[in-house]
Amino acid sequence: MKTLSQIATVFFGAVLWMQAQEEGKKVLDFSLLRQNDVIDIPSDGKNGLYENLKQIEIGKESKLSFGGSYRFQSEAFINEEFATEVDQDDIWFLNRFQFHSHLKFANTFELFAELNSSLMTSKQNLAPVDRDELSFNQLFAQYHFNTNWRMLVGRQNMRLGSGRLIDVREGPNVRLSFDMAQLQYQDQNSELTTFYAVPVRVGQWVFDNEALNFQESLGAVYWTQHWNRRTSTDIYMIYKEEEAKTWDSGTADDNRLSLGLRHFGNWNKLRYNNEFVFQTGRFGEQDIRAWTVSFNIEHPFLVTNSSIGLKTEAISGDTSNTDTTLNTFDGLYPRGAYFGRVARIGPSNLFDIHPYVDMSMGRFTFQFDYVAFWRLSRQDGVYGPPLNLQYPSVNEERFIGHQLGSIASFEVNGFIALELEANVIFPGAFLVESGLDNTLFHAVFTAEFKF
């Protein structure tokens, strides 16, 4: 399987390299979610093999397209768990190959299927997001009632808003998929989405993912309103049920409702993206009262397409493990790399300050950031990106640590991109008092081909 994916990568890379040299006669705009690709290849009789396979006309109004991607990553850690007493230095290699087909009937009916193969070598303790030999990442049918209303049934990746609560999980090797039914309305200024979904439980081998496991499910109503060219809001309700959820205070069934408001847009040259979420429900015999508030402001910086920004957020943690109320915030299904691909700290019981600089120069992009982390509550632990209890509360210290990160990217052409990311985390008083006092070093190299 690995050999086949590498051969395919070389072949398609060579083809696409030559294709990219041609001046812009055709439109090929690849999206994160490939069902949203924009493809416009004129039928002028001058198309080559790639164009003829990329878009096949079926009659006058129907089209069939094929595509995919291959992503290679090499990832390395030194002191992955902040301790040198045991061997925690490691390097591993990740290969992800995806292939999709998209059939459109007269702008009314769509069928989309995407196969995924995520492989990993040299890593001993695999997480569910590391390996999935072969599976359907997406497989759905969508019907357009008219220009405004459409319905989807099947399996898909999903991102709501800025991805703070529900995201594709692009950073790890295996994306997050949902089996779901979805109804959407959209006009020039408004978008309304409602759905019921069950997250897919990933297996490591061939077509062994577990579908429709109702131990975990969610339903939502999500409304986006563009009030004018500068101001927009998201208002939403997300209800999630999860059996045997573990927080620092214990393990029980967790049923909670998230009520959220996101305000985003532009003011003069300032870009902003702010969000507030309140959660209520039941955790075993306890009531849930949790919340988060997040602010993100950004301003153009020095050169075109560059910016300087500041993110900060407060995310509630449990104030007591002996009372009748749980205050730990559930980040639901956030980005797998919430604070970079180093992925050690997730969105629960947290206060952080996060200044950053993004710079673009031609085909090069550079990102530099610093993050300082504190526990918001001394009575709760520190959680990882999948909201698992990473470091229990064993002392009274708040400060978790400093993180420095950088990313350098190079877009070879519209098909090929390279990226190098490096992170350093200096443990703070909470980790040091927990016996974890060594600096963590992390790096990952990514090469991706899309076709």
Side-chain angles (χ1 to χ4, degrees), residues 164 273 294-299 307-315 335 337-342 345 350-358 367-374 399 401-407 421-424:
R164 285 196 179 103
N273 182 8
S294 176
F295 296 98
N296 183 189
I297 55 174
E298 193 173 271
H299 194 277
S307 60
I308 184 169
L310 176 66
K311 301 176 186 178
T312 184
E313 54 194 338
I315 309 172
R335 295 184 296 274
Y338 200 81
F339 296 104
R341 287 201 175 99
V342 63
I345 300 172
L350 196 66
F351 175 73
D352 65 84
I353 298 176
H354 187 180
Y356 61 92
V357 176
D358 292 342
Q367 301 174 45
F368 306 95
D369 68 344
Y370 164 78
V371 194
F373 303 102
W374 291 263
F399 187 56
H402 308 270
Q403 178 178 315
L404 293 172
S406 64
I407 301 176
E421 177 177 343
N423 298 281
V424 181

Side-chain angles (χ1 to χ4, degrees), residues 29-37 69 71 96 98 100 112 114 137-138 157-159 167-171 175 448 450:
D29 187 6
F30 301 134
S31 301
L32 175 66
L33 298 177
R34 299 299 300 274
Q35 59 265 38
N36 299 326
D37 284 359
S69 64
R71 189 181 76 174
R96 188 184 73 187
Q98 295 181 327
H100 69 263
F112 185 86
E114 184 175 54
N137 178 53
Q138 299 192 87
N157 304 140
M158 180 169 45
R159 169 177 286 173
D167 194 62
V168 178
R169 197 173 65 191
E170 174 62 4
R175 285 183 171 182
E448 185 167 19
K450 293 184 178 180

Side-chain angles (χ1 to χ4, degrees), residues 177-382:
S177 300
F178 293 91
D179 292 322
M180 62 190 300
Q182 176 178 277
L183 182 65
Q184 290 182 300
Y185 171 85
Q186 184 174 3
D187 61 26
Q188 187 174 359
N189 298 311
S190 303
E191 301 170 31
L192 181 65
T193 300
T194 181
F195 63 83
Y196 177 78
V198 178
V200 176
R201 298 203 169 193
V202 178
Q204 292 188 16
W205 311 114
V206 177
F207 294 120
D208 63 342
N209 289 351
E210 190 173 352
L212 298 178
N213 185 319
F214 291 96
Q215 292 180 350
E216 190 175 346
S217 63
L218 71 156
V221 177
Y222 202 99
W223 170 38
T224 299
Q225 183 67 35
H226 305 288
W227 301 102
N228 52 53
R229 291 187 301 173
R230 295 182 174 274
T231 302
S232 301
T233 57
D234 291 342
I235 299 173
Y236 54 88
M237 299 184 297
I238 304 173
Y239 181 72
K240 177 187 175 185
E241 295 183 347
E242 183 174 359
E243 297 180 9
K245 178 69 176 179
T246 298
W247 300 110
D248 193 75
S249 60
T251 299
D253 292 347
D254 190 305
N255 304 317
R256 68 175 70 203
L257 176 67
S258 301
L259 304 171
L261 169 65
R262 175 180 171 232
H263 184 216
F264 60 100
N266 299 277
W267 181 71
N268 292 328
K269 292 185 177 181
L270 195 70
R271 293 188 291 270
Y272 59 88
N273 182 8
N274 307 320
E275 195 160 359
F276 172 77
V277 185
F278 174 76
Q279 294 181 334
T280 184
R282 296 283 290 177
F283 176 71
E285 299 300 318
Q286 293 181 292
D287 293 324
I288 295 174
R289 298 291 183 271
W291 56 270
T292 181
V293 58
S294 176
F295 296 98
N296 183 189
I297 55 174
E298 193 173 271
H299 194 277
F301 175 66
L302 294 180
V303 295
T304 305
N305 297 325
S306 298
S307 60
I308 184 169
L310 176 66
K311 301 176 186 178
T312 184
E313 54 194 338
I315 309 172
S316 68
D318 199 22
T319 56
S320 172
N321 56 13
T322 59
D323 64 6
T324 59
T325 303
L326 176 71
N327 310 109
T328 306
F329 183 80
D330 186 349
L332 302 184
Y333 305 96
R335 295 184 296 274
Y338 200 81
F339 296 104
R341 287 201 175 99
V342 63
R344 302 312 301 160
I345 300 172
S348 194
N349 188 33
L350 196 66
F351 175 73
D352 65 84
I353 298 176
H354 187 180
Y356 61 92
V357 176
D358 292 342
M359 302 180 65
S360 296
M361 293 178 286
R363 295 181 180 181
F364 289 92
T365 302
F366 301 95
Q367 301 174 45
F368 306 95
D369 68 344
Y370 164 78
V371 194
F373 303 102
W374 291 263
R375 287 193 298 164
L376 196 66
S377 170
R378 291 189 178 96
Q379 312 308 314
D380 205 346
V382 174

